[in-house]
Amino acid sequence: MALGGSPAAPAEDEKGGVRTALAGLTTRGRSFLAAGVAAAVCAYVLGQSDLLRVGLLLAVLPLVCATVLFRTRYRVAGSRRLSPARVPAGSEARVHLRMDNVSRLPTGLLMLQDRVPYVLGPRPRFVLDRVEAGGRREVSYRVRSDLRGRYPLGPLQLRLTDPFGMCELTRSFSTYDMLTVIPRVTALPPVRLTGEAKGYGDGRNRSLALAGEDDVIPRGYRHGDDLRRVHWRSTARYGELMVRREEQPQRARCTVLLDTRGVGFRGAGPDSAFEWAVSGTASALVHMLERSFSVRLLTDTGMSVPGEGSDGFAGSGQESADAAGLMMDTLAVIDHSDGAGLSRAYDVLRGGNEGLLVAFLGDLAEDQAAVVAKMRQRSGAAVAFVLDSAAWAQGQGAPPSEAGDARVRMLREAGWTALAVPPGADLADLWRQADHARTSAGPAPTAGTTTGGWA
C-alpha cells in the first residue's frame, strides 16, 4: 500500500519559517544560543572584544544550523505495505516501510517514526543513516491486537537533524493505511449439511434426471430466440416450437444470524459473551463458504451482508470471495445495537426459501424467543447457539440460569436444534454436538417448502 510519493519537504509557508526553525532547536542548540547571548552581554559590559567574538560564534552557530536545516529540501518518498492487511484478532501483522531518496543529493541522519494506535503496540522508531542519491532503506515492525476493529497506521513522520545536533525538524507524509483486525476464526469439523434440491455440497439431491451441469429444460419459443436452440424432440411432442433453456444449478443457501442487541449481552472484552458470538459467526460463515454454500450475514437490525442483490446471498467465484471479505470487515467493527427485539431479522426471513439458518443469540425474553421460534418456519433447518449472559458474567463453571434453559427448550419444541453455550465453550465441540443432536432427533418438522437443512 502506497504511503505516498510526495516528498517530505516542509509544509509550512516561508512566513513562519523563522519561528519553525527556532522551535526546532534542541537542548544543545538552546544552550549554545543562551551561552552566546550571555557571553556577548558580558563582553559588552566588561569591554572585552575577544569575548564578544566568542559569544557571537556561540549564538550564530545554532541559528545557522536551524536555517540550513529548514532550507534543505529533502526529496524523500515513502511507501508502506501491510502483510497481511486483514488479520485475525490475536495474530500479528508485519508493516514494511521503504524510504527512497529521489533527489540528486545524499540525505543526512533521518529518524523515522510511524504513528500507530496504542492497542497495536508501542510507536516504532528507526534511525536511518546517510541515504545516498537514488538509494533506499527498508525497515519493518510488527503490530498485534486482541481487539477486533479497524486501525489507522500513519501518517509517517521524518525527524531531520543537523550534523552538530543543534536543531531537529519534523516532516510528515499526509497519507495513512488501514489495518483490519477481524474476529478469531475457529476451524469447524465437517458435518452432513444438506442444501437445496439443486444445490452443491454434501447431500445435494438433484431433482432433474438429466445429466451434466447444464440441465436442458425446454420452454416455448419466444421472439428473438436463437433458432439453433430449438429442441426438436420437445417440439414434436408438444406440437409447438420449443427451445432449450440452460439453467445452472443453484448453490445451497445458508443464513448466519448474529444477535447484536445490547440488552442481550453483558460485559465487554475479548472473553465476553458478545465477542464469542461474533467469533462464532465468523467461523460459521467461513465454514459454509468453504463448503460451497451461498451465504449471507444477518443481524437483529435487519442488515444483510453482502447486501442487496438478486437474492441477497453471496454468489460464486470471485463474487463469493469479495462477499466473504465484506462480511469479515463488517464483523470487525460490529457493535451492540440499540434495538430490543429481533422482529426486523424475522421480516427479512419472512420470504422463506432461506435454506439453513445458523443463529448466535444472547439473552432472550419470552416474546423474543417466540419470534425466534417462528423463524424456524422460514428455513429448511435451523441451529441456534444461545448464550446466557448471567452465566458468562460469573465465568467458567457457572451453571446456566433457569430462564436460559427455558428458552432453549422453547426453541427445541419449535424445531430448532438449540444448544446452550457455557462460558468459554469451544465452538468446534458445540458444532459436533449440534450435528449429533440433529441426527439423533431425526428429521425436524418443517412448514412450507424446505430449501436447506442440517441432516
Side-chain angles (χ1 to χ4, degrees), residues 112-118 120-126 141 143 154-155 157:
L112 189 63
Q113 177 176 279
D114 205 9
R115 291 185 178 180
V116 299
Y118 72 95
L120 298 183
R123 181 171 296 184
R125 294 181 175 89
F126 305 94
Y141 64 93
V143 292
Q157 293 181 330

mmCIF file with all atom_site columns, all heavy atoms in Angstrom, residues 112-118 120-126 141 143 154-155 157:
data_model
loop_
_atom_site.group_PDB
_atom_site.id
_atom_site.type_symbol
_atom_site.label_atom_id
_atom_site.label_alt_id
_atom_site.label_comp_id
_atom_site.label_asym_id
_atom_site.label_entity_id
_atom_site.label_seq_id
_atom_site.pdbx_PDB_ins_code
_atom_site.Cartn_x
_atom_site.Cartn_y
_atom_site.Cartn_z
_atom_site.occupancy
_atom_site.B_iso_or_equiv
_atom_site.pdbx_formal_charge
_atom_site.auth_seq_id
_atom_site.auth_comp_id
_atom_site.auth_asym_id
_atom_site.auth_atom_id
_atom_site.pdbx_PDB_model_num
ATOM 1   N N   . LEU A 1 112 ? 13.001 7.953  11.573 1.00 0.00 ? 112 LEU A N   1
ATOM 2   C CA  . LEU A 1 112 ? 11.720 7.562  11.008 1.00 0.00 ? 112 LEU A CA  1
ATOM 3   C C   . LEU A 1 112 ? 10.788 7.110  12.125 1.00 0.00 ? 112 LEU A C   1
ATOM 4   O O   . LEU A 1 112 ? 11.175 6.321  12.987 1.00 0.00 ? 112 LEU A O   1
ATOM 5   C CB  . LEU A 1 112 ? 11.922 6.431  9.999  1.00 0.00 ? 112 LEU A CB  1
ATOM 6   C CG  . LEU A 1 112 ? 10.739 6.011  9.145  1.00 0.00 ? 112 LEU A CG  1
ATOM 7   C CD1 . LEU A 1 112 ? 10.288 7.135  8.246  1.00 0.00 ? 112 LEU A CD1 1
ATOM 8   C CD2 . LEU A 1 112 ? 11.108 4.782  8.324  1.00 0.00 ? 112 LEU A CD2 1
ATOM 9   N N   . GLN A 1 113 ? 9.550  7.618  12.106 1.00 0.00 ? 113 GLN A N   1
ATOM 10  C CA  . GLN A 1 113 ? 8.577  7.282  13.137 1.00 0.00 ? 113 GLN A CA  1
ATOM 11  C C   . GLN A 1 113 ? 7.211  7.126  12.500 1.00 0.00 ? 113 GLN A C   1
ATOM 12  O O   . GLN A 1 113 ? 6.791  7.960  11.701 1.00 0.00 ? 113 GLN A O   1
ATOM 13  C CB  . GLN A 1 113 ? 8.541  8.372  14.205 1.00 0.00 ? 113 GLN A CB  1
ATOM 14  C CG  . GLN A 1 113 ? 7.513  8.158  15.294 1.00 0.00 ? 113 GLN A CG  1
ATOM 15  C CD  . GLN A 1 113 ? 7.584  9.220  16.369 1.00 0.00 ? 113 GLN A CD  1
ATOM 16  O OE1 . GLN A 1 113 ? 8.418  9.165  17.270 1.00 0.00 ? 113 GLN A OE1 1
ATOM 17  N NE2 . GLN A 1 113 ? 6.721  10.216 16.271 1.00 0.00 ? 113 GLN A NE2 1
ATOM 18  N N   . ASP A 1 114 ? 6.524  6.045  12.859 1.00 0.00 ? 114 ASP A N   1
ATOM 19  C CA  . ASP A 1 114 ? 5.198  5.785  12.323 1.00 0.00 ? 114 ASP A CA  1
ATOM 20  C C   . ASP A 1 114 ? 4.184  5.857  13.454 1.00 0.00 ? 114 ASP A C   1
ATOM 21  O O   . ASP A 1 114 ? 4.416  5.335  14.550 1.00 0.00 ? 114 ASP A O   1
ATOM 22  C CB  . ASP A 1 114 ? 5.141  4.402  11.667 1.00 0.00 ? 114 ASP A CB  1
ATOM 23  C CG  . ASP A 1 114 ? 4.058  4.306  10.614 1.00 0.00 ? 114 ASP A CG  1
ATOM 24  O OD1 . ASP A 1 114 ? 3.471  5.354  10.280 1.00 0.00 ? 114 ASP A OD1 1
ATOM 25  O OD2 . ASP A 1 114 ? 3.807  3.190  10.118 1.00 0.00 ? 114 ASP A OD2 1
ATOM 26  N N   . ARG A 1 115 ? 3.067  6.489  13.189 1.00 0.00 ? 115 ARG A N   1
ATOM 27  C CA  . ARG A 1 115 ? 2.015  6.591  14.189 1.00 0.00 ? 115 ARG A CA  1
ATOM 28  C C   . ARG A 1 115 ? 1.118  5.359  14.153 1.00 0.00 ? 115 ARG A C   1
ATOM 29  O O   . ARG A 1 115 ? 0.609  4.989  13.107 1.00 0.00 ? 115 ARG A O   1
ATOM 30  C CB  . ARG A 1 115 ? 1.170  7.840  13.939 1.00 0.00 ? 115 ARG A CB  1
ATOM 31  C CG  . ARG A 1 115 ? 1.894  9.147  14.199 1.00 0.00 ? 115 ARG A CG  1
ATOM 32  C CD  . ARG A 1 115 ? 0.938  10.314 14.032 1.00 0.00 ? 115 ARG A CD  1
ATOM 33  N NE  . ARG A 1 115 ? 1.575  11.593 14.322 1.00 0.00 ? 115 ARG A NE  1
ATOM 34  C CZ  . ARG A 1 115 ? 0.961  12.764 14.249 1.00 0.00 ? 115 ARG A CZ  1
ATOM 35  N NH1 . ARG A 1 115 ? -0.317 12.821 13.899 1.00 0.00 ? 115 ARG A NH1 1
ATOM 36  N NH2 . ARG A 1 115 ? 1.604  13.878 14.528 1.00 0.00 ? 115 ARG A NH2 1
ATOM 37  N N   . VAL A 1 116 ? 0.937  4.734  15.302 1.00 0.00 ? 116 VAL A N   1
ATOM 38  C CA  . VAL A 1 116 ? 0.057  3.572  15.411 1.00 0.00 ? 116 VAL A CA  1
ATOM 39  C C   . VAL A 1 116 ? -0.810 3.745  16.657 1.00 0.00 ? 116 VAL A C   1
ATOM 40  O O   . VAL A 1 116 ? -0.376 4.342  17.644 1.00 0.00 ? 116 VAL A O   1
ATOM 41  C CB  . VAL A 1 116 ? 0.854  2.248  15.499 1.00 0.00 ? 116 VAL A CB  1
ATOM 42  C CG1 . VAL A 1 116 ? 1.689  2.033  14.248 1.00 0.00 ? 116 VAL A CG1 1
ATOM 43  C CG2 . VAL A 1 116 ? 1.753  2.236  16.725 1.00 0.00 ? 116 VAL A CG2 1
ATOM 44  N N   . PRO A 1 117 ? -2.048 3.238  16.650 1.00 0.00 ? 117 PRO A N   1
ATOM 45  C CA  . PRO A 1 117 ? -2.877 3.283  17.859 1.00 0.00 ? 117 PRO A CA  1
ATOM 46  C C   . PRO A 1 117 ? -2.230 2.491  18.994 1.00 0.00 ? 117 PRO A C   1
ATOM 47  O O   . PRO A 1 117 ? -1.508 1.512  18.761 1.00 0.00 ? 117 PRO A O   1
ATOM 48  C CB  . PRO A 1 117 ? -4.203 2.646  17.407 1.00 0.00 ? 117 PRO A CB  1
ATOM 49  C CG  . PRO A 1 117 ? -4.200 2.782  15.920 1.00 0.00 ? 117 PRO A CG  1
ATOM 50  C CD  . PRO A 1 117 ? -2.776 2.690  15.496 1.00 0.00 ? 117 PRO A CD  1
ATOM 51  N N   . TYR A 1 118 ? -2.517 2.885  20.206 1.00 0.00 ? 118 TYR A N   1
ATOM 52  C CA  . TYR A 1 118 ? -1.856 2.269  21.350 1.00 0.00 ? 118 TYR A CA  1
ATOM 53  C C   . TYR A 1 118 ? -2.211 0.792  21.487 1.00 0.00 ? 118 TYR A C   1
ATOM 54  O O   . TYR A 1 118 ? -1.427 0.010  22.056 1.00 0.00 ? 118 TYR A O   1
ATOM 55  C CB  . TYR A 1 118 ? -2.224 3.021  22.626 1.00 0.00 ? 118 TYR A CB  1
ATOM 56  C CG  . TYR A 1 118 ? -3.637 2.809  23.104 1.00 0.00 ? 118 TYR A CG  1
ATOM 57  C CD1 . TYR A 1 118 ? -3.943 1.845  24.055 1.00 0.00 ? 118 TYR A CD1 1
ATOM 58  C CD2 . TYR A 1 118 ? -4.682 3.572  22.587 1.00 0.00 ? 118 TYR A CD2 1
ATOM 59  C CE1 . TYR A 1 118 ? -5.244 1.638  24.473 1.00 0.00 ? 118 TYR A CE1 1
ATOM 60  C CE2 . TYR A 1 118 ? -5.983 3.378  23.011 1.00 0.00 ? 118 TYR A CE2 1
ATOM 61  C CZ  . TYR A 1 118 ? -6.260 2.408  23.957 1.00 0.00 ? 118 TYR A CZ  1
ATOM 62  O OH  . TYR A 1 118 ? -7.554 2.212  24.365 1.00 0.00 ? 118 TYR A OH  1
ATOM 63  N N   . LEU A 1 120 ? -2.229 -1.385 19.288 1.00 0.00 ? 120 LEU A N   1
ATOM 64  C CA  . LEU A 1 120 ? -1.379 -2.187 18.405 1.00 0.00 ? 120 LEU A CA  1
ATOM 65  C C   . LEU A 1 120 ? 0.039  -2.311 18.910 1.00 0.00 ? 120 LEU A C   1
ATOM 66  O O   . LEU A 1 120 ? 0.831  -3.064 18.336 1.00 0.00 ? 120 LEU A O   1
ATOM 67  C CB  . LEU A 1 120 ? -1.367 -1.590 16.993 1.00 0.00 ? 120 LEU A CB  1
ATOM 68  C CG  . LEU A 1 120 ? -2.706 -1.537 16.257 1.00 0.00 ? 120 LEU A CG  1
ATOM 69  C CD1 . LEU A 1 120 ? -2.523 -0.983 14.858 1.00 0.00 ? 120 LEU A CD1 1
ATOM 70  C CD2 . LEU A 1 120 ? -3.348 -2.919 16.191 1.00 0.00 ? 120 LEU A CD2 1
ATOM 71  N N   . GLY A 1 121 ? 0.388  -1.591 19.950 1.00 0.00 ? 121 GLY A N   1
ATOM 72  C CA  . GLY A 1 121 ? 1.738  -1.679 20.481 1.00 0.00 ? 121 GLY A CA  1
ATOM 73  C C   . GLY A 1 121 ? 2.413  -0.328 20.527 1.00 0.00 ? 121 GLY A C   1
ATOM 74  O O   . GLY A 1 121 ? 1.828  0.716  20.204 1.00 0.00 ? 121 GLY A O   1
ATOM 75  N N   . PRO A 1 122 ? 3.688  -0.308 20.932 1.00 0.00 ? 122 PRO A N   1
ATOM 76  C CA  . PRO A 1 122 ? 4.422  0.966  21.031 1.00 0.00 ? 122 PRO A CA  1
ATOM 77  C C   . PRO A 1 122 ? 4.669  1.573  19.666 1.00 0.00 ? 122 PRO A C   1
ATOM 78  O O   . PRO A 1 122 ? 4.680  0.884  18.644 1.00 0.00 ? 122 PRO A O   1
ATOM 79  C CB  . PRO A 1 122 ? 5.735  0.556  21.713 1.00 0.00 ? 122 PRO A CB  1
ATOM 80  C CG  . PRO A 1 122 ? 5.905  -0.889 21.379 1.00 0.00 ? 122 PRO A CG  1
ATOM 81  C CD  . PRO A 1 122 ? 4.520  -1.462 21.320 1.00 0.00 ? 122 PRO A CD  1
ATOM 82  N N   . ARG A 1 123 ? 4.903  2.879  19.672 1.00 0.00 ? 123 ARG A N   1
ATOM 83  C CA  . ARG A 1 123 ? 5.166  3.591  18.430 1.00 0.00 ? 123 ARG A CA  1
ATOM 84  C C   . ARG A 1 123 ? 6.564  3.241  17.926 1.00 0.00 ? 123 ARG A C   1
ATOM 85  O O   . ARG A 1 123 ? 7.552  3.442  18.619 1.00 0.00 ? 123 ARG A O   1
ATOM 86  C CB  . ARG A 1 123 ? 5.039  5.094  18.653 1.00 0.00 ? 123 ARG A CB  1
ATOM 87  C CG  . ARG A 1 123 ? 5.283  5.931  17.409 1.00 0.00 ? 123 ARG A CG  1
ATOM 88  C CD  . ARG A 1 123 ? 4.927  7.386  17.648 1.00 0.00 ? 123 ARG A CD  1
ATOM 89  N NE  . ARG A 1 123 ? 3.497  7.545  17.929 1.00 0.00 ? 123 ARG A NE  1
ATOM 90  C CZ  . ARG A 1 123 ? 2.922  8.723  18.106 1.00 0.00 ? 123 ARG A CZ  1
ATOM 91  N NH1 . ARG A 1 123 ? 3.641  9.830  18.064 1.00 0.00 ? 123 ARG A NH1 1
ATOM 92  N NH2 . ARG A 1 123 ? 1.622  8.789  18.348 1.00 0.00 ? 123 ARG A NH2 1
ATOM 93  N N   . PRO A 1 124 ? 6.683  2.717  16.708 1.00 0.00 ? 124 PRO A N   1
ATOM 94  C CA  . PRO A 1 124 ? 8.008  2.303  16.197 1.00 0.00 ? 124 PRO A CA  1
ATOM 95  C C   . PRO A 1 124 ? 8.844  3.508  15.763 1.00 0.00 ? 124 PRO A C   1
ATOM 96  O O   . PRO A 1 124 ? 8.338  4.461  15.173 1.00 0.00 ? 124 PRO A O   1
ATOM 97  C CB  . PRO A 1 124 ? 7.653  1.407  15.008 1.00 0.00 ? 124 PRO A CB  1
ATOM 98  C CG  . PRO A 1 124 ? 6.328  1.913  14.536 1.00 0.00 ? 124 PRO A CG  1
ATOM 99  C CD  . PRO A 1 124 ? 5.600  2.404  15.759 1.00 0.00 ? 124 PRO A CD  1
ATOM 100 N N   . ARG A 1 125 ? 10.128 3.435  16.059 1.00 0.00 ? 125 ARG A N   1
ATOM 101 C CA  . ARG A 1 125 ? 11.082 4.477  15.668 1.00 0.00 ? 125 ARG A CA  1
ATOM 102 C C   . ARG A 1 125 ? 12.325 3.806  15.077 1.00 0.00 ? 125 ARG A C   1
ATOM 103 O O   . ARG A 1 125 ? 12.797 2.794  15.596 1.00 0.00 ? 125 ARG A O   1
ATOM 104 C CB  . ARG A 1 125 ? 11.487 5.349  16.859 1.00 0.00 ? 125 ARG A CB  1
ATOM 105 C CG  . ARG A 1 125 ? 10.346 6.196  17.424 1.00 0.00 ? 125 ARG A CG  1
ATOM 106 C CD  . ARG A 1 125 ? 10.841 7.053  18.578 1.00 0.00 ? 125 ARG A CD  1
ATOM 107 N NE  . ARG A 1 125 ? 9.822  7.954  19.079 1.00 0.00 ? 125 ARG A NE  1
ATOM 108 C CZ  . ARG A 1 125 ? 8.956  7.654  20.027 1.00 0.00 ? 125 ARG A CZ  1
ATOM 109 N NH1 . ARG A 1 125 ? 8.999  6.449  20.586 1.00 0.00 ? 125 ARG A NH1 1
ATOM 110 N NH2 . ARG A 1 125 ? 8.050  8.531  20.434 1.00 0.00 ? 125 ARG A NH2 1
ATOM 111 N N   . PHE A 1 126 ? 12.854 4.399  14.028 1.00 0.00 ? 126 PHE A N   1
ATOM 112 C CA  . PHE A 1 126 ? 14.043 3.880  13.355 1.00 0.00 ? 126 PHE A CA  1
ATOM 113 C C   . PHE A 1 126 ? 14.975 5.041  13.027 1.00 0.00 ? 126 PHE A C   1
ATOM 114 O O   . PHE A 1 126 ? 14.511 6.144  12.695 1.00 0.00 ? 126 PHE A O   1
ATOM 115 C CB  . PHE A 1 126 ? 13.677 3.142  12.054 1.00 0.00 ? 126 PHE A CB  1
ATOM 116 C CG  . PHE A 1 126 ? 12.670 2.048  12.237 1.00 0.00 ? 126 PHE A CG  1
ATOM 117 C CD1 . PHE A 1 126 ? 11.311 2.295  12.057 1.00 0.00 ? 126 PHE A CD1 1
ATOM 118 C CD2 . PHE A 1 126 ? 13.063 0.774  12.591 1.00 0.00 ? 126 PHE A CD2 1
ATOM 119 C CE1 . PHE A 1 126 ? 10.377 1.300  12.208 1.00 0.00 ? 126 PHE A CE1 1
ATOM 120 C CE2 . PHE A 1 126 ? 12.123 -0.239 12.761 1.00 0.00 ? 126 PHE A CE2 1
ATOM 121 C CZ  . PHE A 1 126 ? 10.779 0.024  12.566 1.00 0.00 ? 126 PHE A CZ  1
ATOM 122 N N   . TYR A 1 141 ? 8.232  -3.500 11.138 1.00 0.00 ? 141 TYR A N   1
ATOM 123 C CA  . TYR A 1 141 ? 7.865  -3.725 12.527 1.00 0.00 ? 141 TYR A CA  1
ATOM 124 C C   . TYR A 1 141 ? 6.572  -4.517 12.564 1.00 0.00 ? 141 TYR A C   1
ATOM 125 O O   . TYR A 1 141 ? 5.855  -4.621 11.566 1.00 0.00 ? 141 TYR A O   1
ATOM 126 C CB  . TYR A 1 141 ? 7.723  -2.393 13.283 1.00 0.00 ? 141 TYR A CB  1
ATOM 127 C CG  . TYR A 1 141 ? 6.616  -1.496 12.793 1.00 0.00 ? 141 TYR A CG  1
ATOM 128 C CD1 . TYR A 1 141 ? 5.342  -1.534 13.353 1.00 0.00 ? 141 TYR A CD1 1
ATOM 129 C CD2 . TYR A 1 141 ? 6.840  -0.582 11.754 1.00 0.00 ? 141 TYR A CD2 1
ATOM 130 C CE1 . TYR A 1 141 ? 4.325  -0.707 12.902 1.00 0.00 ? 141 TYR A CE1 1
ATOM 131 C CE2 . TYR A 1 141 ? 5.834  0.245  11.298 1.00 0.00 ? 141 TYR A CE2 1
ATOM 132 C CZ  . TYR A 1 141 ? 4.576  0.180  11.879 1.00 0.00 ? 141 TYR A CZ  1
ATOM 133 O OH  . TYR A 1 141 ? 3.577  0.998  11.429 1.00 0.00 ? 141 TYR A OH  1
ATOM 134 N N   . VAL A 1 143 ? 2.798  -5.489 14.472 1.00 0.00 ? 143 VAL A N   1
ATOM 135 C CA  . VAL A 1 143 ? 1.682  -4.988 15.269 1.00 0.00 ? 143 VAL A CA  1
ATOM 136 C C   . VAL A 1 143 ? 0.769  -6.159 15.611 1.00 0.00 ? 143 VAL A C   1
ATOM 137 O O   . VAL A 1 143 ? 0.684  -7.140 14.859 1.00 0.00 ? 143 VAL A O   1
ATOM 138 C CB  . VAL A 1 143 ? 0.895  -3.891 14.523 1.00 0.00 ? 143 VAL A CB  1
ATOM 139 C CG1 . VAL A 1 143 ? 1.726  -2.631 14.376 1.00 0.00 ? 143 VAL A CG1 1
ATOM 140 C CG2 . VAL A 1 143 ? 0.421  -4.381 13.160 1.00 0.00 ? 143 VAL A CG2 1
ATOM 141 N N   . GLY A 1 154 ? -0.263 5.488  10.481 1.00 0.00 ? 154 GLY A N   1
ATOM 142 C CA  . GLY A 1 154 ? 0.278  6.674  9.847  1.00 0.00 ? 154 GLY A CA  1
ATOM 143 C C   . GLY A 1 154 ? -0.390 7.929  10.370 1.00 0.00 ? 154 GLY A C   1
ATOM 144 O O   . GLY A 1 154 ? -1.262 7.872  11.248 1.00 0.00 ? 154 GLY A O   1
ATOM 145 N N   . PRO A 1 155 ? 0.016  9.077  9.880  1.00 0.00 ? 155 PRO A N   1
ATOM 146 C CA  . PRO A 1 155 ? 0.994  9.247  8.806  1.00 0.00 ? 155 PRO A CA  1
ATOM 147 C C   . PRO A 1 155 ? 2.433  9.057  9.286  1.00 0.00 ? 155 PRO A C   1
ATOM 148 O O   . PRO A 1 155 ? 2.729  9.171  10.464 1.00 0.00 ? 155 PRO A O   1
ATOM 149 C CB  . PRO A 1 155 ? 0.761  10.693 8.356  1.00 0.00 ? 155 PRO A CB  1
ATOM 150 C CG  . PRO A 1 155 ? 0.235  11.373 9.578  1.00 0.00 ? 155 PRO A CG  1
ATOM 151 C CD  . PRO A 1 155 ? -0.576 10.348 10.309 1.00 0.00 ? 155 PRO A CD  1
ATOM 152 N N   . GLN A 1 157 ? 6.289  9.936  9.830  1.00 0.00 ? 157 GLN A N   1
ATOM 153 C CA  . GLN A 1 157 ? 6.993  11.164 10.175 1.00 0.00 ? 157 GLN A CA  1
ATOM 154 C C   . GLN A 1 157 ? 8.494  10.971 10.038 1.00 0.00 ? 157 GLN A C   1
ATOM 155 O O   . GLN A 1 157 ? 9.030  9.896  10.333 1.00 0.00 ? 157 GLN A O   1
ATOM 156 C CB  . GLN A 1 157 ? 6.673  11.595 11.605 1.00 0.00 ? 157 GLN A CB  1
ATOM 157 C CG  . GLN A 1 157 ? 5.241  12.036 11.820 1.00 0.00 ? 157 GLN A CG  1
ATOM 158 C CD  . GLN A 1 157 ? 4.993  12.485 13.250 1.00 0.00 ? 157 GLN A CD  1
ATOM 159 O OE1 . GLN A 1 157 ? 5.626  12.003 14.175 1.00 0.00 ? 157 GLN A OE1 1
ATOM 160 N NE2 . GLN A 1 157 ? 4.067  13.411 13.430 1.00 0.00 ? 157 GLN A NE2 1
#
